[in-house]
Amino acid sequence: MVTFLIIVAIALASLAVWQLLRVFEGTAKLKGGDSFVPTDAENKYQGRMMLLFMFGYFAFFAWLYVRYAPHFLPESASEHGLVLDQLLDFNFLIITVVFVITHVFLFYFAFKYTYSSDRKATFFTHSNKLELLWTTVPAVFLAVIIVYGLSAWMDITDEAPEGSLTIELYPKQFDWTARYSGSDSLLGASNYNMISGVNPLGVITNGSLTSKQQELTEEIAGLKEELETVPKGGLKEEEIIETIGKRERQLARVSSFEGLEAASLVAGDDDILVKTEFYLPVGESVEFIFRSRDVIHSAYMPHFRAQMNCVPGMTTSLNFISRKTTEEMREITDNPDFDYLLLCNKICGAAHYNMQMVIKVVEPEVYSKWITEQETFAESIQPADEEGMAEATNVTRNEISMIEQ
Amino acid sequence: MATAAEHNTDHHHEETFISKYIFSMDHKMISKQFLLTGMFMAVIGMIMSSLFRLQLGWQGESFWILNFFLGDKWAPDGILDPNMYLALVTIHGTIMVFFLLTGGLSGTFANLLIPLQIGARDMASGFINLLSYWFFLASSIVMIVSLFVETGPASGGWTVYPPLSALPQAMPGSGMGMTLWLVSMSLFVVSSLLGGLNYVVTVINLRTKGMTMTRLPLSVWALFITAVIGVLSFPVLFSAALLLIFDRMFGTSFYLSDIHVAGELLEQTGGSPILYEHLFWFLGHPEVYIVLLPALGITSEVIATNSRKPIFGYRAMIGSILAIAFLSFIVWGHHMFITGMNPLLGSVFTFTTLLIAIPSAVKAFNYITTLWKGNVRFTPAMLFSIGMVSTFISGGVTGIILADSALDINLHDTYFVVAHFHIVMGLSAVLAMFAGVYHWFPKMYGKMMNRKMGYAHFWVTFVCAYGVFFPQHFMGLAGVPRRYYTNSEFPLFDEFIGMNEMISVFAIVGALVQFIFIFNFFYSMFRGPKASQNPWGSNTLEWTTPVEHIHGNWPGALPTVHRWAYDYSKPGKEHDFVPQIVPLEEGELDGGAGH
Ligand code: HEM
Ligand SMILES: [Cu+2]
Ligand SMILES: [Cu+2]
């Protein structure tokens, strides 16, 4: 019904305009003359509109600035961010000046040189001097911008200093896991073939290796049993045979990790995996390592002026030193609920908008206390009892439906 | 010239409706076909943007109109589904960038202007031209069909990065919808290549007597170089799409490695999604100039004609077009600063990207100087062109910020980027396309468009366009990521609720106003006053053809060109324009030849 009404309304409105036009046409004919080019009155009017628009545009800019600049990101929570913010201010200064000057000229000229039939435009085809001027002046400014910008860039992308805290941030649709290297300061090896319900990052340790092998062996056995029960030559049979093949190949790949050095097979045991929030000690250099389980995600930590894509099949990294604790930032922003956030900033699926983790920046003592309270990887894969074991395998099976939700 | 004269005399075969309007090989008709198809696609793209703006302005609220367009599946109870949100954003971007601003813009104006402005009877190959349109149409149809598949259209963003776009398990839109997207884009590439080759060959070979390269109007220069860029870069998109099709259908692993998705382990190893990004942006960045250069070409013509003044720095303008074209091939990495590329490589891309700002700046300054001491006549086309110069500057300057790899770390994929490219590319090209339609409508349809409606259309569009995109810079500076279905999951961006509402109001009003244009367009086509041969007092050759279209464009011999296209207000001349066909007087210097 509503649709119908709207269609009627549109039809009526078009009719009205149509009628209006016929009137226009009529009067144009009466007045006679060449109505193709704008009349003097129209030109004058439009020229004024140009000027008016210019003021309106600048006013809009100013209003937006006054209203929203206070809600830009607060002062940088990382050391390198301070440099970036300065660089940003410097670049903004330049482009704002260029923006304003060119717009003033553009709209003012449009207004000033509005058509008049008793004037002729100046025949001015080119001027090498002028053109040289506005090739070299931008070039000079750009040279400054390039040098300034690139020196900041090279600094920021420098390798992490020796002794940095290493944290892996591991995304999947649609959440993050953070992994700390634990007491040995070494992240254990990891591989996507090892992923299971209890081992979301596929960390390779002696414990996880055996349990993954066991899980796969059991699954293969189960599948083989099932194979006996399905009709021969059917689609179902084909499907099961294919799955068995896949699992066997996976098992072979997993088993090949037994060949890894003994040391790296224990490095993962003391790793610490956390979800929903992770802690950083203020003032210490942190190196972040990124992989991804499924699609490209991007680890975006706007308050630290830090971002890096997380790409399946490769590792990326970035490092920074935080300079304000969460508490301090709450005071600075005058917002007792303030928290630093890790967001996903590369389109990754339906819940891309809700892939976040809270970052708590705390004093080093608080950090040390927190980290010792966390469960290590070895503990987390230790089945507490029979029930725990059952749960663990269930998770694997149910993962599909979980993710779909 | 004898051959040409013979060629044209008996050129009036009887034409059926089908050969005249449907399978036409006449460049003027093909141009109109491109325009109408492009406009149709644009309306779809525009409706989509209004729909997702409803969601972004009033997040999570119910609108019956969402349900009306999308049905119970994608907008149950009038609340937009997150997957559909991504699909809308994706198809909106694809349609606007490729179908409106590449196919529609180049297809319309290259076809209309190249033969008419260089003094040719038609394109080099009418048949290839016809094919180019029909591939474009087929591609558009496939894209539209993809909107109706069960799992929804492609939804991985207009750049369709794998693995997201490669894995149906990762999102519903990566199923059948994505397959159709790839098919459609492959057809599109074929259309672009056929068209582009034709444009290039035509400009090189079919210029009339006296039409040297340095007498070509800048519109032809721009369309010509655009076609060259397209011919060199579109094949790369084609290969990117092809490899993606292989990964999706045949289990290859060009882009896939180490993936465990939706509980399933994939066996592909050794590929890299980054390879796709390189291939995509190797086209993707030139593509933005494929969109922009024709827009600049149109603007050059319209501004010179309506300032009654030569375009300032004609040769510098050509030089900048060439410089931009060259540089556009070596800057693509600025879309990938934070993919973990070697920082040194990032530096190189920062450097080349910032270089491109120089020719861009030269163009902007030259437009402004063209207005200076001009005699500016505000036709609707002129208003749109001035608007275009403004958006080109407003959006161009923020490119300088983004080109700085260090600054891009925190701005990449935020609304700042959305603001940048919508203003510099989207708005500039759309405004210029409107300018082109208003300016050349008399040539296309032999009728005049209504000026008053043109004024209304311009001002509301222009204000709304800035109203939509200018505030988005501020969101970006606050760190608001793009492609978020809602920001309500955390309080960080609550301050921007009001701004989002305002943007949506501007967007929807701006969309509605386009119906004034559409009305004006069709009304004028049938009932507009009959155009005169040269309504704007222009110098270029298209205004020497008869108002009624004929095959072969000129009834007699082809015109001979004696001067550049910009003798406006030349001292000592009776009128404030001197068409290119007017011979030079004794001792008169040709403006374009330089001094
Ligand atoms: C002064 C010249 C320009 C510079 C320095 C520049 C720089 C950049 C940079 C660095 C980016 C990447 C931002 C990011 O994703 O983080 C970008 C994005 C973009 N630019 Fe420009 N740009 C310029 C002019 C243009 C022009 C003239 C156009 C179009 C005609 C354009 C269209 C785009 C588009 C479409 C994107 C975004 C693509 C996407 O991520 O979806 N830019 N620009
Ligand atoms: Cu994500
Ligand atoms: Cu680019």
Side-chain angles (χ1 to χ4, degrees):
Chain A
M1 189 59 204
V2 187
T3 325
F4 176 67
L5 278 180
I6 289 205
I7 291 172
V8 172
I10 290 176
L12 284 176
S14 330
L15 203 71
V17 178
W18 191 283
Q19 290 304 319
L20 214 72
L21 278 180
R22 303 198 55 169
V23 178
F24 271 138
E25 256 173 51
T27 48
K29 269 187 204 123
L30 281 182
K31 277 189 212 152
D34 169 22
S35 64
F36 293 167
V37 290
T39 61
D40 286 353
E42 281 172 324
N43 277 324
K44 223 170 161 176
Y45 179 72
Q46 295 300 328
R48 291 206 190 116
M49 287 289 283
M50 284 281 155
L51 211 55
L52 186 68
F53 178 83
M54 179 185 83
F55 288 121
Y57 190 15
F58 289 160
F60 188 49
F61 189 173
W63 174 75
L64 283 168
Y65 188 80
V66 171
R67 168 72 180 77
Y68 287 102
H71 303 290
F72 286 168
L73 291 166
E75 85 176 77
S76 170
S78 70
E79 298 285 351
H80 77 266
L82 294 175
V83 181
L84 283 191
D85 287 357
Q86 273 168 12
L87 179 65
L88 188 66
D89 288 346
F90 172 75
N91 280 14
F92 259 117
L93 189 70
I94 294 183
I95 67 167
T96 309
V97 170
V98 173
F99 166 79
V100 171
I101 292 180
T102 46
H103 271 80
V104 168
F105 280 133
L106 176 69
F107 289 117
Y108 178 70
F109 288 169
F111 161 77
K112 171 93 193 287
Y113 299 108
T114 296
Y115 191 83
S116 140
S117 45
D118 44 54
R119 195 159 57 79
K120 236 184 174 187
T122 308
F123 190 76
F124 182 39
T125 60
H126 71 284
S127 149
N128 291 344
K129 244 192 229 156
L130 272 181
E131 285 164 78
L132 199 65
L133 179 77
W134 57 59
T135 314
T136 45
V137 170
V140 169
F141 276 101
L142 286 169
V144 177
I145 288 177
I146 290 174
V147 171
Y148 189 178
L150 287 185
S151 69
W153 167 250
M154 293 317 272
D155 268 0
I156 292 165
T157 53
D158 231 2
E159 272 169 33
E162 210 42 53
S164 299
L165 173 66
T166 308
I167 301 177
E168 178 178 42
L169 287 177
Y170 187 78
K172 70 170 181 36
Q173 290 176 325
F174 297 98
D175 59 31
W176 297 91
T177 308
R179 176 161 67 127
Y180 289 77
S181 51
S183 47
D184 60 356
S185 304
L186 263 180
L187 283 174
S190 57
N191 187 281
Y192 73 114
N193 282 290
M194 292 289 296
I195 291 170
S196 72
V198 285
N199 188 4
L201 272 59
V203 179
I204 312 174
T205 62
N206 287 316
S208 69
L209 201 53
T210 353
S211 74
K212 187 70 193 177
Q213 282 168 326
Q214 192 185 341
E215 180 197 314
L216 284 168
T217 319
E218 276 168 20
E219 198 185 342
I220 292 168
L223 284 164
K224 284 190 170 150
E225 252 168 56
E226 199 185 340
L227 190 60
E228 300 301 312
T229 64
V230 300
K232 297 282 162 237
L235 272 179
K236 186 77 191 157
E237 186 193 21
E238 219 175 279
E239 196 188 309
I240 296 179
I241 292 177
E242 202 181 306
T243 316
I244 293 178
K246 276 189 190 165
R247 293 295 174 271
E248 281 175 343
R249 289 193 291 276
Q250 186 182 358
L251 181 60
R253 288 193 295 266
V254 166
S255 300
S256 75
F257 301 141
E258 285 170 354
L260 289 176
E261 274 176 47
S264 68
L265 283 176
V266 293
D269 279 327
D270 64 348
D271 286 4
I272 289 163
L273 274 59
V274 295
K275 284 191 169 274
T276 65
E277 67 174 28
F278 66 98
Y279 280 56
L280 297 180
V282 70
E284 286 182 25
S285 169
V286 185
E287 175 168 38
F288 291 95
I289 309 275
F290 310 95
R291 290 181 297 140
S292 166
R293 185 200 275 204
D294 38 36
V295 301
I296 305 179
H297 301 267
S298 187
Y300 184 36
M301 298 175 259
H303 303 103
F304 302 91
R305 316 293 189 259
Q307 179 171 207
M308 182 53 73
N309 286 357
C310 314
V311 186
M314 65 187 262
T315 358
T316 51
S317 67
L318 67 79
N319 63 83
F320 63 71
I321 302 173
S322 57
R323 56 182 283 276
K324 294 276 174 206
T325 63
T326 300
E327 277 311 319
E328 285 169 324
M329 200 49 108
R330 285 182 177 166
E331 265 162 41
I332 292 172
T333 56
D334 202 14
N335 172 5
D337 301 322
F338 176 88
D339 262 319
Y340 295 122
L341 284 183
L342 163 69
L343 301 168
C344 177
N345 198 16
K346 182 63 77 188
I347 181 172
C348 63
H352 166 55
Y353 63 91
N354 191 14
M355 245 183 94
Q356 43 170 321
M357 213 172 169
V358 170
I359 310 172
K360 294 267 188 230
V361 180
V362 293
E363 297 298 336
E365 313 84 72
V366 183
Y367 169 78
S368 312
K369 183 159 172 297
W370 173 80
I371 196 88
T372 46
E373 285 165 359
Q374 305 305 309
E375 199 183 34
T376 64
F377 178 68
E379 286 161 5
S380 75
I381 57 167
Q382 203 83 75
D385 48 45
E386 281 297 301
E387 210 179 298
M389 189 68 183
E391 223 172 73
T393 32
N394 266 343
V395 176
T396 332
R397 298 250 166 74
N398 291 339
E399 226 169 34
I400 300 179
S401 56
M402 262 173 54
I403 283 164
E404 273 170 1
Q405 276 163 17
Chain B
M1 284 280 90
T3 47
E6 269 160 37
H7 175 72
N8 89 83
T9 35
D10 258 296
H11 221 294
H12 276 273
H13 334 275
E14 271 313 302
E15 284 186 289
T16 62
F17 178 81
I18 298 221
S19 75
K20 178 155 181 213
Y21 292 103
I22 313 284
F23 292 108
S24 172
M25 294 207 253
D26 186 293
H27 71 101
K28 301 183 288 301
M29 184 54 69
I30 294 178
S31 152
K32 292 191 238 179
Q33 290 172 330
F34 267 109
L35 179 59
L36 288 175
T37 315
M39 275 168 62
F40 179 76
M41 293 302 278
V43 170
I44 295 180
M46 187 181 82
I47 291 174
M48 288 180 158
S49 66
S50 301
L51 296 182
F52 66 68
R53 264 332 304 185
L54 281 177
Q55 159 62 22
L56 291 174
W58 299 274
Q59 306 191 346
E61 282 181 35
S62 165
F63 291 93
W64 68 266
I65 197 156
L66 288 174
N67 188 274
F68 172 76
F69 277 107
L70 302 169
D72 289 334
K73 177 153 184 229
W74 297 114
D77 303 321
I79 298 171
L80 188 62
D81 175 88
N83 275 308
M84 196 37 150
Y85 166 76
L86 294 178
L88 289 174
V89 179
T90 302
I91 305 297
H92 163 78
T94 308
I95 287 183
M96 291 306 191
V97 173
F98 291 108
F99 290 84
L100 178 66
L101 296 180
T102 305
L105 183 61
S106 275
T108 304
F109 290 103
N111 269 307
L112 181 72
L113 297 182
I114 288 178
L116 287 177
Q117 290 193 331
I118 67 173
R121 299 225 178 262
D122 206 317
M123 281 290 172
S125 164
F127 180 67
I128 289 185
N129 212 15
L130 172 146
L131 279 185
S132 160
Y133 172 70
W134 283 90
F135 271 99
F136 177 61
L137 186 67
S139 148
S140 310
I141 290 171
V142 174
M143 191 56 76
I144 288 174
V145 167
S146 85
L147 305 180
F148 297 98
V149 301
E150 175 73 28
T151 47
S155 15
W158 76 282
T159 53
V160 296
Y161 284 179
L164 185 60
S165 62
L167 307 174
Q169 306 94 310
M171 73 189 323
S174 295
M176 189 60 182
M178 187 61 210
T179 305
L180 291 176
W181 191 96
L182 287 165
V183 171
S184 167
M185 286 316 295
S186 304
L187 293 170
F188 184 88
V189 172
V190 176
S191 158
S192 280
L193 289 178
L194 291 172
L197 284 171
N198 219 354
Y199 308 149
V200 172
V201 171
T202 307
V203 173
I204 292 178
N205 288 324
L206 296 186
R207 280 168 290 127
T208 188
K209 185 154 178 256
M211 183 59 91
T212 57
M213 289 306 269
T214 48
R215 279 180 181 159
L216 281 180
L218 287 172
S219 45
V220 175
W221 262 109
L223 292 162
F224 171 55
I225 298 300
T226 302
V228 173
I229 301 178
V231 168
L232 294 178
S233 63
F234 266 114
V236 181
L237 177 67
F238 192 70
S239 54
L242 211 60
L243 299 188
L244 187 49
I245 291 175
F246 285 174
D247 273 7
R248 291 168 51 82
M249 306 241 193
F250 309 124
T252 55
S253 36
F254 292 106
Y255 306 135
L256 305 177
S257 190
D258 296 22
I259 292 170
H260 188 286
V261 63
E264 188 191 337
L265 183 90
L266 302 189
E267 300 205 290
Q268 279 116 325
T269 54
S272 167
I274 303 299
L275 169 64
Y276 174 87
E277 294 188 24
H278 279 297
L279 292 175
F280 182 87
W281 287 114
F282 187 82
L283 157 92
H285 189 85
E287 165 64 22
V288 305
Y289 284 98
I290 290 174
V291 167
L292 189 77
L293 287 180
L296 289 169
I298 290 170
T299 303
S300 304
E301 287 315 292
V302 174
I303 287 194
T305 306
N306 290 297
S307 301
R308 315 308 292 155
K309 191 164 170 279
I311 192 81
F312 182 77
Y314 173 75
R315 293 195 164 222
M317 292 300 241
I318 297 174
S320 342
I321 294 177
L322 293 173
I324 287 175
F326 171 71
L327 290 172
S328 75
F329 279 97
I330 52 170
V331 300
W332 80 91
H334 63 220
H335 297 274
M336 301 169 60
F337 284 138
I338 56 158
T339 52
M341 67 161 58
N342 185 321
L344 207 57
L345 187 58
S347 311
V348 174
F349 281 122
T350 293
F351 179 70
T352 52
T353 304
L354 285 171
L355 280 187
I356 225 173
I358 298 175
S360 310
V362 168
K363 292 204 104 128
F365 294 142
N366 284 3
Y367 287 132
I368 294 174
T369 316
T370 305
L371 292 179
W372 180 67
K373 292 199 174 175
N375 207 4
V376 180
R377 216 172 50 186
F378 292 106
T379 61
M382 184 63 172
L383 291 177
F384 277 98
S385 296
I386 293 176
M388 188 277 186
V389 176
S390 162
T391 56
F392 179 52
I393 296 171
S394 305
V397 291
T398 53
I400 291 174
I401 303 254
L402 293 171
D404 221 316
S405 46
L407 296 177
D408 192 53
I409 296 173
N410 211 47
L411 290 172
H412 178 67
D413 268 338
T414 65
Y415 266 93
F416 194 85
V417 175
V418 178
H420 159 69
F421 74 79
H422 274 95
I423 294 179
V424 73
M425 173 170 89
L427 296 188
S428 300
V430 167
L431 294 178
M433 189 163 175
F434 281 131
V437 172
Y438 280 107
H439 192 75
W440 279 289
F441 192 85
K443 194 76 267 166
M444 295 181 105
Y445 294 100
K447 301 284 176 61
M448 303 302 293
M449 283 179 85
N450 182 288
R451 197 163 60 242
K452 292 224 163 44
M453 278 198 277
Y455 289 154
H457 175 221
F458 170 73
W459 284 110
V460 184
T461 303
F462 194 46
V463 168
C464 287
Y466 271 132
V468 171
F469 296 113
F470 204 75
Q472 294 183 351
H473 294 113
F474 293 76
M475 293 172 75
L477 290 169
V480 183
R482 70 194 277 209
R483 292 168 172 164
Y484 267 27
Y485 166 72
T486 167
N487 299 322
S488 55
E489 292 303 322
F490 33 84
L492 187 57
F493 305 128
D494 280 356
E495 267 313 314
F496 290 90
I497 293 175
M499 179 184 277
N500 263 322
E501 255 174 53
M502 174 181 80
I503 291 176
S504 291
V505 171
F506 274 124
I508 291 166
V509 173
L512 289 175
V513 162
Q514 303 316 310
F515 289 101
I516 296 188
F517 169 76
I518 293 174
F519 176 81
N520 192 354
F521 185 89
F522 287 106
Y523 178 89
S524 307
M525 191 192 291
F526 295 109
R527 310 224 19 183
K530 199 166 176 310
S532 58
Q533 195 185 23
N534 189 359
W536 316 125
S538 293
N539 291 341
T540 37
L541 292 182
E542 75 273 27
W543 303 106
T544 61
T545 62
V547 176
E548 297 288 341
H549 286 178
I550 56 168
H551 243 331
N553 297 338
W554 283 269
L558 284 173
T560 307
V561 168
H562 297 280
R563 58 179 74 235
W564 74 332
Y566 300 103
D567 273 344
Y568 290 107
S569 304
K570 196 166 194 180
K573 300 286 175 186
E574 187 191 346
H575 293 291
D576 61 0
F577 67 105
V578 189
Q580 287 187 277
I581 52 171
V582 176
L584 291 169
E585 283 164 33
E586 276 286 315
E588 186 185 356
L589 278 180
D590 184 13
H595 312 283

